[in-house]
Amino acid sequence: MTYEQLKNEESKYVMNTYGRFPIALDHGEGAVLWDVEGKRYIDLTSGIGVNCLGYKHDKLIAAITEQAGRLMHVSNLFTTEPMIRVAQKLVEKSHLGGKVFFANSGAEANEGAIKLARKYSFDKYGEGRCKIVTLRNSFHGRTVTTLKATGQDRFHNYFFPFTEGFDYAEANDIRSMRTKADDMTCAVMMELVQGEGGVLPLDKEFVKAVEALCREKDMLLLIDEVQTGIGRTGSLFCFQQYGITPDVVTMAKGLGGGMPVGAVMAAASCANVLTPGTHATTFGGTPIVCAAANTVLDIVGDGQFLAQVREKGEYLKNGILALGSPAIHDVRGMGLMLGIVVDEGKHTAFANRLIERGVLVLTAGSSIVRLLPPLTITREELDEALAVMREVF
Ligand SMILES: *Cc1c(COP(=O)(O)O)cnc(C)c1O
């Protein structure tokens, strides 16, 4: 089928909730995708930070195929080994010494973290100490609760009433955080590099100060690593580069390498807060997605692999800056989570031109061309993308 035919049928049967790029993708290999008409693209999006091993990865395919032939799903009423192995790897590699709950998406992982924080406080201090402070410009998901956790007013519309108990502090402003985090606050939740909000890494000093404030007031520090986690920023978790010890880390996007899986990882201090009957999900941690997550963690959790992510991130960033284009004001981010800062409002036009010329990119904020390539992207593929960027910028 052609793109036009597919688009026509899509508009008939699929809810119109996405402003999609005018491309229907068909298959991929490495960091390269082909659309239904056979046009080739270098992919600097990896399914919004999901396909960390790129496309058609042999080991990932083998693990999923093997598990599909054995057992795909049984519900959480039974014990299954793949889930235990993923949890073990996450706990050991993060050095948090806690435990993991499996969800199916980033928003659900954050919902789980929010429930955990509120119950932690309820168990210890009783009702009412339920406020959670997040940051302005943050993004935490699309459920009614995580929309409210998201610190951008444009997300707080239509779906009233939203979940109560959220307030927003200015990023990198510890005074603002001190004002917002009062005696009724049970937790602070933040991304260390704000993704959707514009690829903005938080200042180390600020993050350390928030951690100290959380300790001082017995508030849980919830780090949303849904986008920054699983090697994206050059360490398995971004918090490891900030030198902090979070109470709860949420993750999703890259964890399954394309399979839908999310997780809430709690440090030892709060690993036993959620008890039977207080939280559950039918699909969470099901064997087929955990087979994928195990493969991803074996590969991405390796020190040499992570060093390559940092190197490739630097190479791409320096390559973009070396274009010397007056249209590019800055390149920021960490590892292979990068944002090209262009003129306010010009990001979409640049993205469209790159995509037309065969380089898939994302946008963020109001002036960012956002890059989240597969972590396995090669130098040659990066060079090809840079050559197109040279033309466009
Ligand atoms: C994508 C994202 C989410 C939401 O994840 P979904 O899987 O789309 O629910 C939450 N937080 C951050 C930081 C994200 O980037």
Side-chain angles (χ1 to χ4, degrees), residues 48 104-108 110 139-142 191 195-196 224-227 252-253:
I48 318 186
N104 313 290
S105 67
E108 276 178 84
N110 287 338
F139 181 79
H140 297 294
R142 292 283 194 162
E191 304 153 88
E196 307 301 311
D224 180 346
E225 295 239 22
V226 169
Q227 191 163 148
K253 291 191 167 92

Side-chain angles (χ1 to χ4, degrees), residues 118 130-136 138 140 148-153 156 163-170 176-182 184-185 187-190:
R118 286 186 168 175
C130 59
K131 189 165 128 181
I132 296 176
V133 180
T134 66
L135 298 182
R136 288 256 162 238
S138 58
H140 297 294
K148 193 64 180 177
T150 293
Q152 303 183 52
D153 292 338
H156 307 156
T163 307
E164 287 175 37
F166 290 95
D167 203 353
Y168 318 101
E170 294 297 328
S176 163
M177 180 59 79
R178 282 192 172 274
T179 312
K180 298 291 185 176
D182 57 19
M184 287 300 151
T185 303
V188 172
M189 178 159 82
M190 54 193 197

Side-chain angles (χ1 to χ4, degrees), residues 47-114:
I48 318 186
V50 168
N51 306 312
C52 52
L53 302 182
Y55 303 92
K56 210 177 167 193
H57 190 283
D58 287 346
K59 285 192 182 143
L60 191 56
I61 294 170
I64 294 167
T65 309
E66 199 275 332
Q67 190 60 49
R70 181 182 293 270
L71 191 65
M72 280 200 265
H73 173 79
V74 286
S75 88
N76 281 303
L77 301 176
F78 303 94
T79 295
T80 49
E81 185 170 355
M83 174 200 288
I84 299 168
R85 292 292 156 252
V86 177
Q88 180 185 11
K89 283 169 199 169
L90 289 172
V91 168
E92 288 178 359
K93 287 175 190 290
S94 66
H95 304 289
L96 284 185
K99 292 180 184 173
V100 180
F101 173 89
F102 288 97
N104 313 290
S105 67
E108 276 178 84
N110 287 338
E111 287 262 354
I114 290 163

Side-chain angles (χ1 to χ4, degrees), residues 315-355:
Y315 183 77
L316 181 56
K317 184 179 179 174
N318 293 335
I320 297 167
L321 288 170
L323 299 177
S325 164
I328 296 172
H329 304 309
D330 192 13
V331 181
R332 66 191 184 206
M334 291 169 74
L336 283 170
M337 178 174 183
L338 295 174
I340 306 173
V341 186
V342 298
D343 279 341
E344 195 70 18
K346 295 275 173 68
H347 55 322
T348 313
F350 278 117
N352 287 336
R353 271 188 260 164
L354 286 163
I355 291 168

